[in-house]
Amino acid sequence: MIVDVSKKPDVYRYARASASASVQICNTAAAVRAAVVASRYLPFLHPLPLTASAWCRDGRLYVEGFTEWQTGVEMDVLFGALVGLIGSGAVKIEDLAVEIKLKNLAQALSEAALTETALVREGGLTASAYGVMKMKNYNVVKGPVEKGHPIYAAQTAAALNAKRLCELIGGPCPSIQYLKIDIDVRESVEVSVSIKARDFTPAPEALFATGVALLTIWDMAKKYEKDDSGQYPNTHIKLLRLE
């Protein structure tokens, strides 16, 4: 289920997320586009009138978002950073994290000249990806929370979204014939995804599905991950990579 936020007041909400990857040009346009429509892909996000911006500096993509609404925007900008780097051709993404989130404070977004890049598909018709996320409370992931069971929801979200990356970054959509996802929770949350397609390499989709699974878990457990000031000092996706 989606948590009822209808009784919350509309207040100013701002967040900035970032991640590192070795890419020649950042697809900041895809990052902004994804942040604005993140609720269509992460199953428990509420739709909101988000304004977003993105830029790259020193091998890191930054995405920020602002709204006056009932819910926060940190998951939206995390999703934007994920999609922006996959759309930039990244095969390894590191330290996907929320840098800061603010509440009750009007915030002007940074001006950025957005760049659109075409996704280059390289590889065979089978692809595998791996991701690992560090958290404060791993026990929350292992059982049901208010929104449902994090692992089951993440598996479903990954399978559904593997077919939808092309909606965000354009280009051909692979005809996926097979998808397998495993999630293991010990001293970290580890996700492995394998995909087989009929026509185009599904390598970007494997990376995307892995990231979506981890972000779904983060979103469902975020109530237990925040510190007293509402930040996430102990929570970040340490690594996403193609195998």
Side-chain angles (χ1 to χ4, degrees), residues 98-179:
V98 177
E99 294 192 340
I100 188 171
K101 55 178 298 226
L102 301 173
K103 187 175 178 181
N104 293 317
L105 181 65
Q107 187 78 15
L109 299 187
S110 303
E111 292 187 11
L114 299 182
T115 302
E116 190 86 65
T117 60
L119 179 63
V120 177
R121 293 185 177 274
E122 296 180 347
L125 295 181
T126 60
S128 297
Y130 168 81
V132 57
M133 180 166 66
K134 295 294 186 180
M135 301 181 69
K136 179 173 66 174
N137 190 343
Y138 295 105
N139 289 330
V140 172
V141 181
K142 299 176 182 179
V145 295
E146 292 90 336
K147 298 178 181 180
H149 199 298
I151 292 178
Y152 301 155
Q155 290 171 326
T156 302
L160 293 175
N161 278 284
K163 305 174 184 179
R164 303 183 62 196
L165 178 62
C166 56
E167 298 174 5
L168 293 164
I169 59 177
C173 300
S175 299
I176 294 174
Q177 295 182 308
Y178 169 85
L179 183 143

Side-chain angles (χ1 to χ4, degrees), residues 94-96 132-133 211 214-215 218 235-240:
E94 297 180 286
D95 191 27
L96 176 57
V132 57
M133 180 166 66
L214 289 170
L215 287 179
W218 186 341
T235 314
H236 70 286
I237 296 177
K238 181 179 179 181
L239 175 67
L240 292 165

